[in-house]
Amino acid sequence: MAVKVAQEWLNACSGCEVSIVDLGERLLDVLAVVEFVHSPVLMDHKYFGQLGNKTHLEIPEAVVGIVSGGVKNEEHLEVLHEMRKKCQVIVALGTCATHGGIPALANSYRNEEIVERYYSTETTDKPDAVPNEGIPALLDACYALDEKVKVDVYLPGCPPHPDQVFAALTALVGGKPLELPTKSVCDHCPTVREGKGQVKLVRRFLQPPFYKSPDEPLDKMRCLLEQGMLCMGPVTRAGCGGDQITPRCITARVPCRGCYGPVKQNGNQRLDMLNALASNGIDFRGIPETVTMLRFSGAHKLLRPPRR
Ligand code: SF4
Ligand code: SF4
Ligand code: SF4
């Protein structure tokens, strides 16, 4: 009998859902053993009954509940609680769900500043047209899912690689545990490492790395961190390369920005990277790119900065 799955997106961009669709033909294998009972990205299932005649938000019961995105407003929170109530297993899909992710950059600002920025700056069509109804109230911060409900399975990544999504769904419907990589992006990176202590200054992120030609294999290119680029590989969980193993950004000769979050779920990615830079004597002060290090860890309870 097919396993019932419900899926929801909260403070999300839909990239994680695209990763599900990116399963391609494997989606047919998944659909043979899974029955989606609720999924805004795949089907038209209404919160308040198909005719809109119910008074309470309702999501069907399911064995597996997949949730992407963090929690930033009261509607997100209500949907998340309903998912937790109706699903036996909650899967946090993507770094927004596991740690807050890019939307958690909002945690550096007060809600008034966010609303003003969205509705009232010179780039808005109708400045000052802030709606006063139909918009869910904002929470005081963007939260990772496990700050609001119990999460059973974490699948980080921005977005998670479709190979990992497939492996996760296969494991879950088969009642098996999901094993995430326990190593760092560096452990899956083929670039050449010659040793620490040779870089003193972080280079601007937009500067290209040094390599001889586009045809040069990655295992001939010097490690990007050792080239002075701010590569978060040492403090980021491996897995983004999927079955191909080689990290996605490194394949494009771009430094890792840390999108898979810390190597361990509750690790402190930001602090670990600052420690790595400092202990190697690398000066990163005054380089705007250091802000990108905060991007994927901004909402986690351990890391959220105090708001003014
Ligand atoms: S983790 Fe990345 S891809 Fe997924 S919803 Fe968040 S921003 Fe989008
Ligand atoms: S720091 Fe970056 S380039 Fe160097 S080994 Fe790690 S992931 Fe690869
Ligand atoms: S290399 Fe880093 S930033 Fe790029 S996809 Fe992998 S984990 Fe994410």
Side-chain angles (χ1 to χ4, degrees):
M1 200 169 79
V3 175
K4 290 187 176 174
V5 174
Q7 179 270 326
E8 259 295 346
W9 47 12
L10 307 178
N11 204 18
C13 79
S14 76
C16 285
E17 284 67 27
V18 171
S19 221
I20 297 176
V21 176
D22 264 358
L23 291 176
E25 289 181 2
R26 289 178 294 182
L27 194 52
L28 297 177
D29 298 333
V30 170
L31 291 176
V33 290
V34 155
E35 180 195 353
F36 277 98
V37 293
H38 174 84
S39 174
V41 74
L42 293 175
M43 59 201 285
D44 183 23
H45 183 265
K46 304 280 194 294
Y47 285 150
F48 295 91
Q50 288 308 92
L51 300 177
N53 53 345
K54 300 208 170 162
T55 51
H56 296 292
L57 187 150
E58 214 172 89
I59 288 171
E61 291 191 350
V63 176
V64 178
I66 302 172
V67 184
S68 68
V71 188
K72 177 58 186 167
N73 67 36
E74 287 182 357
E75 183 181 287
H76 298 150
L77 193 56
E78 189 178 357
V79 171
L80 178 60
H81 279 303
E82 176 70 1
M83 285 290 283
R84 180 67 274 184
K85 198 166 108 189
K86 296 294 181 62
C87 303
Q88 295 171 24
V89 176
I90 287 289
V91 182
L93 177 72
T95 303
C96 291
T98 59
H99 291 88
I102 291 173
L105 284 172
N107 288 346
S108 300
Y109 302 91
R110 288 180 287 116
N111 282 344
E112 298 75 26
E113 293 173 297
I114 295 168
V115 170
E116 187 184 343
R117 177 89 177 184
Y118 192 86
Y119 289 105
S120 308
T121 57
E122 66 280 3
T123 57
T124 4
D125 286 345
K126 295 177 184 171
D128 296 323
V130 180
N132 54 14
E133 59 181 27
I135 305 291
L138 295 176
L139 304 183
D140 62 339
C142 176
Y143 292 90
L145 300 191
D146 67 0
E147 293 181 276
K148 294 296 178 188
V149 299
K150 176 175 174 283
V151 168
D152 304 293
V153 177
Y154 296 87
L155 193 56
C158 184
H161 194 288
D163 291 346
Q164 288 188 311
V165 173
F166 182 69
L169 284 172
T170 308
L172 286 165
V173 298
K176 296 183 181 147
L178 173 65
E179 309 241 337
L180 286 178
T182 53
K183 297 196 164 178
S184 74
V185 168
C186 288
D187 289 304
H188 287 186
C189 177
T191 60
V192 179
R193 275 154 280 184
E194 295 181 3
K196 299 175 179 175
Q198 296 170 32
V199 176
K200 294 295 168 208
L201 193 64
V202 169
R203 294 163 58 207
R204 292 298 312 274
F205 206 88
L206 295 176
Q207 288 181 308
F210 301 117
Y211 55 94
K212 288 194 181 116
S213 80
D215 298 326
E216 183 184 65
L218 287 175
D219 61 7
K220 301 285 182 216
M221 183 177 78
R222 182 88 185 267
C223 160
L224 300 177
L225 189 59
E226 291 187 4
Q227 290 193 30
M229 309 191 83
L230 192 60
C231 185
M232 297 278 286
V235 296
T236 302
R237 192 195 286 272
C240 66
D243 295 343
Q244 300 296 316
I245 304 295
T246 304
R248 278 186 291 201
C249 297
I250 305 300
T251 302
R253 303 180 198 273
V254 172
C256 171
R257 297 186 189 210
C259 86
Y260 261 58
V263 178
K264 291 182 182 165
Q265 170 60 21
N266 284 327
N268 192 328
Q269 196 179 17
R270 180 193 314 176
L271 188 61
D272 288 347
M273 193 65 200
L274 293 175
N275 277 340
L277 292 172
S279 63
N280 282 289
I282 300 175
D283 189 350
F284 52 87
R285 292 167 299 175
I287 302 294
E289 284 82 350
T290 52
V291 172
T292 64
M293 292 196 307
L294 315 183
R295 175 172 293 170
F296 294 104
S297 54
H300 197 277
K301 49 188 173 272
L302 296 174
L303 307 174
R304 187 180 302 116
R307 280 174 300 287
R308 293 155 281 161

